[in-house]
Amino acid sequence: MISNLIAGISLGSIYAIIALGYTMVYGIAKMLNFAHGDVIMVGGYMCFCATFYLGLPPLAGVLLAVVVCTLLGVTIERLAYKPLRSAPALAVLITAIGMSYFLQNAALLLWTANPKTFTSIVGYGSIQMGDVHITHVAMVTIAVCVVIMVALTLFTNKTKMGTAMRAVSEDKGAAQLMGISVNRTISLTFAIGSGLAAIAGVLLCSAYPMLVPTTGSMPGIKAFTAAVFGGIGSIPGAMLGGILLGVIEIFSKAYISQELSDAIVFAVLIIVLLVKPAGLLGKQVSEKV
Amino acid sequence: MAMLEVKDLHVYYGLIHALHGISFEVNEGEVVALIGANGAGKTTTLHTITGLLQAKGGTVVFDGQDITRKPGHAIVRLGISHVPEGRRVFSNLTVAENLQMGAYTRPKGEVAGSLEEVYEWFPRLRERKNQAAGTLSGGEQQMLAMGRAMMSRPRILLMDEPSMGLSPLFVGEIFKIIEKVSAAGTTVLLVEQNAKKALSIADRAYVLETGTIGKSGKASELLNDDAIKKAYLGE
């Protein structure tokens, strides 16, 4: 029971870190970046290449993954989304889906479809306390998630740049009148989201070591679900949504059905959205006139 | 040379030709009012000056520098501050955070001093500094929008319909503050539908009629102009 809870929180922490990227980009740029999940995969491959081919220590691998993904996220925004800033939302959404396939195919070309076996960055040890069994990966994942959550909350609430981000997410025109560069704020958001995706990728591959070009798509969709579940646009919502989703998934697998676990997760999402359409911590959006 | 010179400005909303080549100027230290009916292009004019809209033709010159094509976020740094129509305070941010955003372009060390100044202008904002701006009344939000604009220490303040939707008591208070801002040395370009109020505190005024400048002149003269009285002052 407690082992399952911890496994759930650990998986949920990964969803939460990914969901942060979705929710921040949605909050600022008002778009769903469906290529976000594939940035996770790129992060996984980067760390794999650094440790396996270059023989670098795991931490250097993580660092490389974060740097590459941050640059990748900013580049994707510049090239694919920025020209569509005033286009209809559907055009942007389709572009994002296209970008997702582009990344998957590029990975296929670079690394082929053969699965790579990712070596966990923290090894495969675990600790045993009575009946409770906790892997090192799970402990590190949860710890990293807590650190990210605290850091991001402090950043958005206490720093000038974070406050500017919240201002842009509310009213781009008024923010611009304050002298805030909306374009630079959006770039920064993509940078943070993609850097977090890289970390999520490394953690994900450490827990589930098989790395293929589509590795990011399912966790990406689940994290998106988690972001909606918690209330898209809300940072604490993404955290809560991610962790709840992970726990529900693991419990469904353990006690109900291995095969139906994803269906159960989405059923819970639908019920929550029926009761609270804005998500658990989402704000009821009032249209401005 | 005028501080702000707008020359032959043409602005479109898609296919709609909103401004048909308007020209006017504001001299340092003046209060200039831009009056006119709904849809005449008053807000469009201000939006084009501060870069929220791009002009198709014509120029905006500030202090001898052509700013027509300058990116919007760079304009406030020149000393132009805009209090937008409908106030547009950041409702999820606190009053203090809104004011800090007003000083976004200024060095960190100067912000505290300006914050103190704004709180002295608007004591009510100090009382509510930790409250989310969305919870303020309309009049308080207008004060916050003005205070936020003053935080950049502008040389010219553009105000769009500051009296809109406010009770007469607040309207009086807001106009008193505009006079004080002007007396303290800030140039003011005031857009108002409340023509009487605007003309009563302005030095000069321009009348906008569906995208062109109609009459213009000293505010005191326009206030006694029969055609203006009939069309805008309801007399």
Side-chain angles (χ1 to χ4, degrees):
Chain A
M1 176 75 187
I2 292 178
S3 298
N4 281 329
L5 184 64
I6 288 168
I9 293 173
S10 162
L11 177 63
S13 296
I14 295 174
Y15 291 154
I17 298 170
I18 307 169
L20 283 172
Y22 275 110
T23 221
M24 287 178 73
V25 165
Y26 182 83
I28 307 281
K30 305 290 177 243
M31 66 161 291
L32 296 172
N33 177 20
F34 273 115
H36 190 60
D38 302 291
V39 177
I40 305 166
M41 170 272 296
V42 173
Y45 273 110
M46 280 302 142
C47 186
F48 173 80
C49 289
T51 50
F52 187 80
Y53 293 125
L54 304 176
L56 296 172
L59 260 185
V62 177
L63 199 67
L64 179 76
V66 170
V67 170
V68 170
C69 287
T70 302
L71 292 176
L72 179 68
V74 172
T75 311
I76 289 174
E77 195 277 323
R78 238 345 112 72
L79 296 181
Y81 304 148
K82 194 180 165 195
L84 299 174
R85 202 58 61 71
S86 49
L90 272 180
V92 186
L93 186 69
I94 292 165
T95 307
I97 294 172
M99 184 48 73
S100 162
Y101 281 112
F102 175 80
L103 290 178
Q104 286 180 24
N105 287 330
L108 202 58
L109 205 67
L110 272 172
W111 294 297
T112 76
N114 293 330
K116 302 273 186 281
T117 309
F118 192 93
T119 314
S120 167
I121 51 155
V122 288
Y124 295 99
S126 60
I127 54 168
Q128 189 85 29
M129 288 185 294
D131 290 345
V132 184
H133 178 83
I134 312 168
T135 63
H136 287 165
V137 177
M139 288 191 294
V140 169
T141 302
I142 295 168
V144 167
C145 182
V146 169
V147 169
I148 288 173
M149 184 171 167
V150 171
L152 212 55
T153 306
L154 287 177
F155 172 74
T156 50
N157 290 324
K158 300 287 175 208
T159 68
K160 183 175 162 185
M161 203 60 230
T163 311
M165 256 181 174
R166 285 184 290 139
V168 170
S169 94
E170 214 182 297
D171 186 336
K172 289 192 182 63
Q176 188 179 311
L177 290 180
M178 303 298 111
I180 300 167
S181 164
V182 173
N183 282 332
R184 210 180 305 155
T185 310
I186 292 178
S187 290
L188 178 70
T189 311
F190 270 86
I192 295 175
S194 306
L196 293 180
I199 295 174
V202 172
L203 294 170
L204 180 76
C205 294
S206 295
Y208 305 89
M210 207 182 71
L211 184 54
V212 289
T214 51
T215 285
S217 59
M218 199 57 197
I221 287 173
K222 286 201 187 141
F224 167 63
T225 309
V228 175
F229 193 38
I232 192 140
S234 152
I235 288 178
M239 283 290 175
L240 181 68
I243 288 170
L244 282 178
L245 201 80
V247 172
I248 296 169
E249 183 178 332
I250 296 287
F251 273 61
S252 312
K253 273 192 178 134
Y255 300 111
I256 305 174
S257 158
Q258 185 85 26
E259 290 77 20
L260 278 180
S261 67
D262 287 346
I264 293 167
V265 166
F266 282 91
V268 172
L269 170 80
I270 290 167
I271 293 165
V272 167
L273 291 185
L274 282 175
V275 181
K276 291 203 70 169
L280 292 172
L281 301 181
K283 287 191 198 83
Q284 224 62 26
V285 186
S286 53
E287 281 296 319
K288 261 186 293 238
V289 273
Chain B
M1 190 186 61
M3 184 185 213
L4 180 70
E5 272 182 277
V6 172
K7 264 187 243 150
D8 196 27
L9 205 60
H10 286 266
V11 180
Y12 288 77
Y13 280 111
L15 290 172
I16 300 164
H17 198 171
L19 294 183
H20 304 260
I22 66 160
S23 303
F24 64 92
E25 54 185 47
V26 182
N27 298 305
E28 184 140 29
E30 276 187 317
V31 176
V32 171
L34 210 53
I35 59 174
N38 240 340
K42 306 184 299 290
T43 296
T44 306
T45 305
L46 292 195
H47 279 196
T48 311
I49 294 172
T50 46
L52 288 176
L53 282 171
Q54 287 299 322
K56 270 267 159 67
T59 52
V60 179
V61 176
F62 181 69
D63 266 345
Q65 188 188 354
D66 186 345
I67 62 165
T68 325
R69 305 264 167 263
K70 243 188 171 357
H73 64 87
I75 286 175
V76 65
R77 287 175 197 272
L78 304 173
I80 304 179
S81 203
H82 180 168
V83 185
E85 183 182 12
R87 321 184 241 282
R88 290 170 76 169
V89 296
F90 303 112
S91 52
N92 294 323
L93 271 55
T94 65
V95 168
E97 283 172 337
N98 266 277
L99 293 174
Q100 279 151 11
M101 286 296 103
Y104 185 80
T105 54
R106 300 184 52 210
K108 208 175 175 184
E110 296 176 20
V111 178
S114 292
L115 200 59
E116 204 44 47
E117 267 174 43
V118 167
Y119 284 147
E120 256 153 55
W121 287 83
F122 306 98
R124 216 186 274 255
L125 295 183
R126 190 200 301 273
E127 288 164 29
R128 306 195 185 279
K129 62 181 174 188
N130 294 322
Q131 218 170 302
T135 64
L136 301 182
S137 74
E140 289 166 346
Q141 289 192 13
Q142 185 63 53
M143 290 178 175
L144 178 57
M146 282 182 76
R148 185 178 68 175
M150 294 304 287
M151 287 294 290
S152 68
R153 285 257 171 95
R155 294 186 44 221
I156 182 167
L157 189 65
L158 316 184
M159 301 204 57
D160 198 346
E161 305 274 9
S163 74
M164 194 171 68
L166 299 187
S167 68
L169 197 72
F170 261 124
V171 172
E173 207 168 324
I174 293 287
F175 273 87
K176 249 183 244 151
I177 293 162
I178 298 173
E179 286 186 291
K180 269 207 261 175
V181 166
S182 164
T186 309
T187 308
V188 176
L189 175 58
L190 174 64
V191 157
E192 259 294 348
Q193 271 196 69
N194 188 339
K196 201 174 198 167
K197 267 283 181 201
L199 291 175
S200 71
I201 65 160
D203 299 307
R204 291 188 303 117
Y206 294 84
V207 181
L208 254 180
E209 288 161 356
T210 53
T212 54
I213 297 278
K215 291 203 165 169
S216 64
K218 279 195 170 158
S220 52
E221 286 167 12
L222 289 175
L223 208 46
N224 294 314
D225 184 299
D226 285 337
I228 300 280
K229 269 186 181 170
K230 210 165 169 200
Y232 299 105
L233 304 176
E235 286 174 16

